[in-house]
């Protein structure tokens, strides 16, 4: 299945994160707290999260959220295996070898980050070359997207 969230869908998801925070959704609030601790805002995700490529349909929109969480957790010197283990907590009881799917998605996204010259990997350790650009919130992100599309 092609992972092809269009910008309207992505902006809808980001506005939903904001709405859930305002409504007091504990899961989203706890997640946002992790983002605040690193100086980021969940609905100000880097445009890099919009990247299109082929993905498994089981991940649906969770994969977009996962990419944002991945970027929030990447730091210089973090072990690749450790990052992988901290990220994949979604469960699919009817799928026996879910880790095969997780590993494929993780490797694909890490390769995108390497190709974008954001990170390099040496001896299974991530070295941050430059930080992706985070936005204040989804409105700031939407304004930049609209300017890029012109």
């Amino acid at each position: 299945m092609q992972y092809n969230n269009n910008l309207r869908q992505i902006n809808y998801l980001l506005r939903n994160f904001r709405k859930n925070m305002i409504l007091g959704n504990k899961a989203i609030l706890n997640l946002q707290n992790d983002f605040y601790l690193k100086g980021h805002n969940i609905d100000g995700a880097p445009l890099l999260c919009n990247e299109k490529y082929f993905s498994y349909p089981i991940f649906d929109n969770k994969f977009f959220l996962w990419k944002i969480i991945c970027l929030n957790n990447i730091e210089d010197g973090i072990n690749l295996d450790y990052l992988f283990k901290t990220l994949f907590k979604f469960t699919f009881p009817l799928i026996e070898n879910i880790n095969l799917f997780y590993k494929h998605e993780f490797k694909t996204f890490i390769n995108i980050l390497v190709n974008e010259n954001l990170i390099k990997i040496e001896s299974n350790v991530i070295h941050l070359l430059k930080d992706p650009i985070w936005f204040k919130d989804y409105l700031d992100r939407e304004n930049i997207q609209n300017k890029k599309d012109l």
Side-chain angles (χ1 to χ4, degrees), residues 34 67 82 106 140:
D34 291 341
K67 290 192 299 184
Y82 175 78
F106 183 71
D140 186 35

Side-chain angles (χ1 to χ4, degrees), residues 101-119:
F101 296 103
Y102 284 154
K103 286 179 183 176
H104 178 265
E105 296 297 337
F106 183 71
K107 184 178 178 181
T108 300
F109 189 59
I110 292 297
N111 284 335
I112 289 171
L113 299 178
V114 168
N115 291 337
E116 292 287 326
N117 293 316
L118 294 173
I119 64 170

Side-chain angles (χ1 to χ4, degrees), residues 14 17 31-32 34-36 38-49 64-75 109 113 118 128 130-138 140-142 144:
L14 294 171
F17 293 146
L31 191 57
Q32 178 58 52
D34 291 341
F35 280 77
Y36 282 152
K38 297 200 177 177
H40 303 140
N41 198 349
I42 195 170
D43 61 344
L47 293 177
L48 179 67
C49 295
F64 178 71
L65 175 60
W66 171 83
K67 290 192 299 184
I68 300 169
I69 295 169
C70 183
L71 288 176
N72 190 57
N73 286 297
I74 286 180
E75 51 191 50
F109 189 59
L113 299 178
L118 294 173
L128 195 59
K130 64 182 178 181
D131 287 321
I133 297 170
W134 288 80
F135 302 95
K136 289 186 306 185
D137 56 26
Y138 78 92
D140 186 35
R141 187 179 197 274
E142 214 171 40
I144 298 298

